[in-house]
Amino acid sequence: MELLIRRFSIFLILILSIGCATQAPTLQIGPEAKVTKEGLVKIDNSVLDLSYARPNVDWSKYRKLYFEAATVTNDHPADYKPPRIDRRTDGYNATYELPDEALKRMSTEFATIVASVFNEEQPFELVDKAGPDTLVIEVAITDIRLSAPVSSSRRNYNSMGRTYTQNSGSMMLFAMIKDGQSGEVLAKAVDRGESFDQWRQNVDVFNWGDVKTVYRHWINDFKNALMAAGAK
């Protein structure tokens, strides 16, 4: 898989900053506050590109977490223009779209890291269905933009050739948190995770390791934010 993304912070930090932003995130107030149709209020100084949260939520009552399977797709916005493929160097089969097996693995790896972070030593219980005192977390990853064609599709894949890139790409994260009993939407966020600018060989083994590391950082941030919320 051709993907290296930078560490992107947890969407629940919306109102529970643990110091990642230069200014603490705050809900907009007053007549000029931006409010969604669900009643979510825009967060100023969010570490994410765009985030909203419901005011006056008692986060301390939630001790159970239900992570729905992460949805990962090759979808792009209508105005997206994929990078040009040089058929002479990249080959006639080169593509920037991840194969289905890679998309499924990205979803599976997310669930695996969730289970390892929220283990029996944590004050939260992972459950397999929504219910009382449960947060439902939905994550969708899409608009994946690679900086080089998928390795297995490149001409040099079977010839021991090498491809180097300054970074490996980016992807868009859509996140939503709901109350497990009522289904009420408590928070939403959108963020583009970008890769580090570091010249390196663009190969699967490195990129998969980076994805796992990013997932672990992200989920640990989520855990820390929940713990901070419960202490208030």
Side-chain angles (χ1 to χ4, degrees):
M1 187 191 70
E2 313 288 325
L3 185 60
L4 172 64
I5 58 175
R6 66 177 173 134
R7 175 182 177 180
F8 51 85
S9 300
I10 178 60
F11 50 88
L12 190 59
I13 268 183
L14 306 167
I15 57 176
L16 305 171
S17 172
I18 55 176
C20 294
T22 57
Q23 299 182 46
T26 56
L27 287 170
Q28 291 185 349
I29 58 175
E32 300 301 320
K34 296 180 180 179
V35 182
T36 70
K37 62 182 181 181
E38 300 103 332
L40 306 182
V41 180
K42 189 176 186 298
I43 308 299
D44 285 332
N45 305 317
S46 173
V47 294
L48 303 178
D49 293 337
L50 187 64
S51 55
Y52 291 82
R54 186 173 301 283
N56 304 317
V57 173
D58 179 12
W59 296 101
S60 65
K61 73 177 184 179
Y62 297 104
R63 291 298 171 183
K64 298 178 181 179
L65 308 176
Y66 172 48
F67 282 83
E68 294 194 355
T71 300
V72 188
T73 73
N74 277 317
D75 295 343
H76 299 284
D79 60 352
Y80 170 68
K81 294 182 179 180
R84 177 179 174 273
I85 293 177
D86 189 332
R87 299 301 179 186
R88 293 174 299 175
T89 58
D90 296 326
Y92 287 100
N93 296 319
T95 178
Y96 283 89
E97 300 295 281
L98 291 171
D100 288 343
E101 56 267 28
L103 300 177
K104 292 177 181 177
R105 182 178 173 183
M106 286 183 68
S107 179
T108 300
E109 293 290 355
F110 182 86
T112 299
I113 302 300
V114 165
S116 69
V117 171
F118 288 99
N119 54 39
E120 63 275 7
E121 299 179 359
Q122 307 304 326
F124 303 99
E125 178 186 0
L126 291 179
V127 296
D128 58 7
K129 63 180 180 180
D133 303 328
T134 303
L135 286 176
V136 176
I137 301 98
E138 299 178 5
V139 174
I141 298 172
T142 187
D143 194 20
I144 302 170
R145 304 188 180 191
L146 309 180
S147 59
V150 175
S151 63
S152 59
S153 74
R154 296 195 298 248
R155 184 191 297 275
N156 63 17
Y157 180 68
N158 293 317
S159 61
M160 304 300 290
R162 297 183 179 184
T163 297
Y164 292 87
T165 55
Q166 185 172 355
N167 60 64
S168 294
S170 68
M171 67 181 182
M172 187 68 75
L173 170 75
F174 294 88
M176 181 161 56
I177 305 174
K178 297 179 180 179
D179 179 272
Q181 188 168 29
S182 67
E184 181 181 45
V185 178
L186 303 179
K188 283 184 175 182
V190 178
D191 190 61
R192 174 164 290 282
E194 298 179 33
S195 66
F196 295 103
D197 277 338
Q198 178 182 1
W199 282 96
R200 64 187 296 180
Q201 189 176 355
N202 197 302
V203 292
D204 289 355
V205 64
F206 292 145
N207 293 330
W208 274 116
D210 290 328
V211 168
K212 294 177 184 178
T213 298
V214 169
Y215 281 169
R216 186 170 297 278
H217 284 316
W218 185 86
I219 296 166
N220 270 307
D221 280 344
F222 185 20
K223 177 194 69 178
N224 293 334
L226 288 176
M227 294 177 68
K232 294 185 178 181

